[in-house]
Amino acid sequence: MTQDPAGSLLTLPPPRLSAQALAALTETHWGLTGSLHPLTSERDQNHRLDTTTGQFTLKLANPAEPAALTEFQTEALLHSARAAPDLPTPRVIPARTGRSIIATPDGALRLLTWLPGTPLAHLPRTPALAASIGTALGGLDAALASFHHPASDHHLLWDIQNAADLAPLTPALPKDLKPRIAAFLTRFTTHTAPALANLPRQVIHGDFNPHNLLADPGQPGTLTGILDFGDMTLSHRICDLAVAASYLIDPADPAGLLVPLTRAYHRANPLTEAELRLLPDLITARLATTLTISAWRAARYPENAPYILRNAPTSRAGLDALTDPAALTDTLLAILESQPT
């Protein structure tokens, strides 16, 4: 039997347990009753739980997700809450037995605090907002640098360091994108990956995209929520910044938001010159990853295509805008000169 190139977590649909069954499990294990409201997700089954005592997020993991991986993500949330309590990350709500994870035949069940706010995808992208993202991500990565778990070093196709593994999925891309991304993947294999191998590694969030970050529309420069730790993995620190940067490219001024983002990250978690030199290539790699995986999954699950493709237009615009990576590198390196560590 041929192994699917995307891996089981990207090829299986989310679980579909009934609301009644989920409500019964929640009452049994957490003693909570209320109304469940479904949330969109690529891999898991998530609901907002409204009760008389507050709101929560109920997460049923994809049954293909190994138990150790769910534990890894949960322990990372617990660690970040201790190491960086000011960051707006979800807090794990223990069950009546004290356990953080409840094993069920349909997947691992967890209850987290609900974080208020509007996804940044629905707010104007400004330099102040970019700086807030950089500060939060720098702080989170600084906290996660001291976090270790046996399941952290797992293969994830979304992880930028694995961009070369996208090749089997590229036939799903639009015809005009295929040769461009194929050429970049060749460059990644021969140039970027060897340089990346020498850069700092640690556990990273892996998906600092505007749908996973929340803010108060009245104060859009302050983040109120950091969501979705499902793409955490042991990777290179600079890859986390590249993910965030890939969603903040203004086609009219590609570096306009990347400079405040990177400067704020550097203040919170100082970067090396080697990391900054590689950042433009890693941003391109993330854009290629988003476009390739999204196209492949949308073709496989057309009923969920609007959600799967939600970031594709921004990624395509960003890829089209990055026409001068050398100039962007020079601009980013100037941050080190103006803000020495």
Side-chain angles (χ1 to χ4, degrees), residues 250-323:
D250 182 351
D253 181 12
L257 297 175
L258 300 190
V259 169
L261 169 77
T262 306
R263 182 182 292 120
Y265 184 103
H266 183 61
R267 284 186 183 133
N269 194 14
L271 296 161
T272 67
E273 179 180 338
E275 287 176 304
L276 284 176
R277 285 193 179 279
L278 211 57
L279 185 54
D281 260 9
L282 298 176
I283 294 171
T284 303
R286 175 62 180 204
L287 295 169
T289 299
T290 299
L291 290 166
T292 303
I293 294 179
S294 297
W296 183 86
R297 281 184 56 81
R300 194 179 182 103
Y301 302 110
E303 72 283 358
N304 203 24
Y307 177 77
I308 293 171
L309 293 170
R310 68 196 185 283
N311 290 318
T314 300
S315 296
R316 180 61 188 265
L319 191 65
D320 291 340
L322 287 183
T323 57

Side-chain angles (χ1 to χ4, degrees), residues 36 38 79 235 283:
L36 288 170
H79 175 88
S235 187
I283 294 171

Side-chain angles (χ1 to χ4, degrees), residues 29 34 65 70 94 106 132 135 146 157 167 195 209 216 239 251 300 312 321:
H29 294 288
E65 182 170 282
T70 309
D106 300 283
S132 293
T135 299
S146 59
L157 194 57
N209 84 66
D216 180 350
C239 290
R300 194 179 182 103

Side-chain angles (χ1 to χ4, degrees), residues 83-202:
D86 292 337
L87 287 176
T89 56
R91 300 313 199 244
V92 179
I93 307 296
R96 285 170 160 172
T97 59
R99 287 181 293 169
S100 300
I101 304 168
I102 302 298
T104 81
D106 300 283
L109 191 65
R110 291 173 292 166
L111 190 69
L112 308 176
T113 54
W114 174 263
L115 298 176
T118 299
L120 301 194
H122 305 304
L123 297 174
R125 295 186 298 175
T126 66
L129 186 57
S132 293
I133 295 170
T135 299
L137 182 57
L140 180 59
D141 281 345
L144 290 174
S146 59
F147 174 65
H148 307 281
H149 191 278
S152 64
D153 194 9
H154 64 100
H155 183 276
L156 184 70
L157 194 57
W158 279 105
D159 184 4
I160 291 174
Q161 68 177 339
N162 299 322
D165 297 337
L166 294 170
L169 275 59
T170 55
L173 286 164
K175 289 184 179 179
D176 63 323
L177 269 180
K178 286 180 189 177
R180 186 175 176 184
I181 289 184
F184 173 77
L185 294 182
T186 298
R187 171 181 167 78
F188 183 91
T189 301
T190 59
H191 170 76
T192 311
L196 182 60
N198 297 318
L199 299 184
R201 295 183 82 222
Q202 63 164 81

Side-chain angles (χ1 to χ4, degrees), residues 327-341:
L328 179 57
T329 299
D330 291 341
T331 300
L332 295 175
L333 286 173
I335 292 173
L336 289 181
E337 299 173 4
S338 63
Q339 188 182 315
T341 58

